[in-house]
Amino acid sequence: MRVVHPTPDYPQLLRGADLRVTRPRVAVLGAVHAHPHADTESIIGAVRADLPEVSHQAVYDSLRTLAAAGLVRRIQPAGSVARYEARIGDNHHHLVCRSCGTVVDVDCAVGEAPCLTASDDHGFTIDEAEVVFWGLCPACSPTRS
Ligand SMILES: [Zn+2]
Ligand SMILES: [Zn+2]
């Protein structure tokens, strides 16, 4: 049986975050949902498939607004350009290939977001932990058989 993921209602998501519904924002949100971990250039390309006339600046502005509102998450592994994803709120982590830059999601190591519990919080109120696992993906690994 094929699992059908219902398309999120992007205008509704925007309204739920108290954001004005604009065509660039809807298109950018859709592009980030369709292309997890895409960089800005890829998102511009995907958005232009729907809205050929959209400007780079409109896409940059939409990404910044959506990230600030928590509708998309911005990640930027060291040495990489910023990437965006729509999987938010679960504090998942990322595996990054040192060779080709592939980014893969990985859940928190054990249980439910344990990485938000620091061994010593020094009095901080912690709301996010960023863990990046670095290595080589299977395609780039020299030991693959
Ligand atoms: Zn690789
Ligand atoms: Zn991710």
Side-chain angles (χ1 to χ4, degrees):
M1 196 176 83
R2 199 165 146 255
V3 179
V4 178
H5 294 283
T7 305
D9 184 341
Y10 302 124
Q12 190 56 46
L13 285 174
L14 289 167
R15 283 187 214 102
D18 281 330
L19 293 178
R20 207 156 48 85
V21 177
T22 66
R23 293 187 68 200
R25 285 176 183 172
V26 170
V28 168
L29 200 47
V32 175
H33 275 260
H35 307 281
H37 311 131
D39 61 16
T40 308
E41 285 304 313
S42 311
I43 292 167
I44 289 170
V47 168
R48 286 212 164 135
D50 284 342
L51 290 179
E53 74 282 8
V54 79
S55 68
H56 281 230
Q57 195 58 47
V59 174
Y60 287 123
D61 289 347
S62 297
L63 282 170
R64 187 160 357 98
T65 301
L66 294 171
L71 292 179
V72 303
R73 179 175 169 191
R74 181 183 190 277
I75 61 165
Q76 187 161 19
S80 166
V81 295
R83 295 159 179 271
Y84 296 87
E85 66 184 340
R87 182 178 164 184
I88 52 172
D90 66 351
N91 197 66
H92 71 272
H93 307 313
H94 294 101
L95 293 164
V96 183
C97 178
R98 288 186 194 282
S99 178
C100 68
T102 290
V103 178
V104 180
D105 284 339
V106 57
D107 291 341
C108 260
V110 188
E112 191 181 334
C115 304
L116 288 178
T117 307
S119 55
D120 180 351
D121 64 17
H122 294 274
F124 284 50
T125 302
I126 297 172
D127 59 31
E128 184 174 356
E130 190 172 276
V131 178
V132 178
F133 298 95
W134 292 91
L136 291 175
C137 74
C140 293
S141 173
T143 56
R144 93 192 144 112
S145 50

